[in-house]
Amino acid sequence: MRRGILAGLLLLGVFGCRYRFTPGIYVPMQVGIMYRYTSRLVINGEYEKPQGRYYTPDTLYIIGDTVYKGYDARRVYVKKQYACKEDLLCNPYDPHPDCYCTADTIVYYLKEDTLVIVSDPLNFLPPRFSVILDGRPHFVETETEGGEKETPIFYTLADPGASWDVAEGNATVRVYPEGYDTVPDSVDTYNVRFRIRATVEGFENTETSYRRFTFCAKVRYDLFMGGELPDVTLHAMDMWWCDGVGQVKYVYTPEAASYKDSTFTYMELSFIEGR
């Protein structure tokens, strides 16, 4: 049992056919560290404009220590930008219709072998995605009910193929044909049940702007919705979790990234500041 995340780093080892990660690495360990992520185009790997590699719209900053249900934990500021036209600066507290971003302070803690975050479970999914309904493309926007939940986002001890439920609950969903979001009679609202499921697809090496990482766990996250809305299954995003630093890369699938243009991006670790 590993209750604390502050006990220090242990040695790597092999346990059966599994790969044992260093305990605690997926919870930011040191208060004051900032992780900055830059965006690159999936189709050609080029950095997104305008600042190139130095354009780092996503941030993870470890604010301080806390305790959650008896576990040592961290308060972490997370800022994410989903879409923004050139020459616009994203301000989550004064949003612009052409620059969508979010910011929140959430709790990270290690519960035995599981990294848990305490937040709205849809915070790490895109704000909207597209589906085909009645042979026509529609956009789906979701808002959960019930606020913050404990979300087991990653297991630090996992086999390829390991799968678990990240979150489930109720959500309010807005559905409208593409291009008709401002036409009231074209927007339908539904109450649905949702479930997010994670699967470890395997381990692989990956390059980032910060450096090259080896033997990283690639995790797939799928979203399932049903109820008043016809059943929807969406491969929403992939994340790469690497030993010694945690989340180093993530990409929304083309379906989930359809709120952007066809040159959708992935986010990768570019700078670590404060250590």
Side-chain angles (χ1 to χ4, degrees), residues 10 73 78 84 101 113 121 132-133 136 160 185 188 247 249 257 262-263 271:
L10 303 179
V78 178
C84 199
C101 59
D113 289 317
I132 301 297
L133 297 176
R136 184 180 181 185
D185 292 341
D188 295 316
Q247 179 184 302
K249 182 177 173 182
S262 60
T263 59
F271 301 97

Side-chain angles (χ1 to χ4, degrees), residues 71-266:
Y71 290 90
D72 294 330
R74 293 286 191 262
R75 290 184 296 108
V76 181
Y77 172 81
V78 178
K79 176 178 176 291
K80 287 189 176 184
Q81 177 175 297
Y82 296 97
C84 199
K85 290 186 177 180
E86 289 188 27
D87 301 324
L88 290 178
L89 295 177
C90 189
N91 181 353
Y93 308 106
D94 184 20
H96 188 283
D98 293 323
C99 198
Y100 187 96
C101 59
T102 62
D104 199 5
T105 298
I106 62 181
V107 171
Y108 280 59
Y109 75 99
L110 193 66
K111 185 177 183 180
E112 285 79 54
D113 289 317
T114 304
L115 173 62
V116 180
I117 61 176
V118 184
S119 71
D120 186 317
L122 293 186
N123 270 347
F124 65 96
L125 295 179
R128 64 176 180 171
F129 55 88
S130 68
V131 296
I132 301 297
L133 297 176
D134 298 324
R136 184 180 181 185
H138 285 66
F139 276 121
V140 176
E141 297 179 352
T142 59
E143 180 179 345
T144 59
E145 299 176 357
E148 293 185 343
K149 297 180 182 294
E150 295 180 49
T151 302
I153 194 171
F154 184 67
Y155 286 150
T156 63
L157 186 63
D159 285 318
S163 186
W164 67 94
D165 284 338
V166 174
E168 61 180 336
N170 299 312
T172 301
V173 173
R174 297 175 71 246
V175 181
Y176 50 86
E178 186 173 352
Y180 285 80
D181 55 313
T182 59
V183 181
D185 292 341
S186 297
V187 180
D188 295 316
T189 301
Y190 302 92
N191 294 315
V192 303
R193 289 286 298 174
F194 75 90
R195 180 167 60 95
I196 302 171
R197 189 158 183 83
T199 303
V200 178
E201 293 196 325
F203 298 95
E204 60 186 36
N205 302 335
T206 187
E207 298 281 348
T208 73
S209 304
Y210 183 67
R211 66 173 174 85
R212 183 174 187 265
F213 293 92
T214 59
F215 212 63
C216 301
K218 180 183 178 182
V219 181
R220 166 179 173 147
Y221 297 87
D222 291 283
L223 174 65
F224 306 92
M225 292 194 303
E228 295 181 357
L229 182 73
D231 290 350
V232 172
T233 299
L234 177 74
H235 173 196
M237 69 182 305
D238 296 314
M239 288 187 186
W240 284 257
W241 300 87
C242 302
D243 191 32
V245 64
Q247 179 184 302
V248 302
K249 182 177 173 182
Y250 49 98
V251 58
Y252 299 106
T253 61
E255 297 85 0
S258 54
Y259 57 87
K260 299 174 69 70
D261 59 28
S262 60
T263 59
F264 69 99
T265 63
Y266 63 87

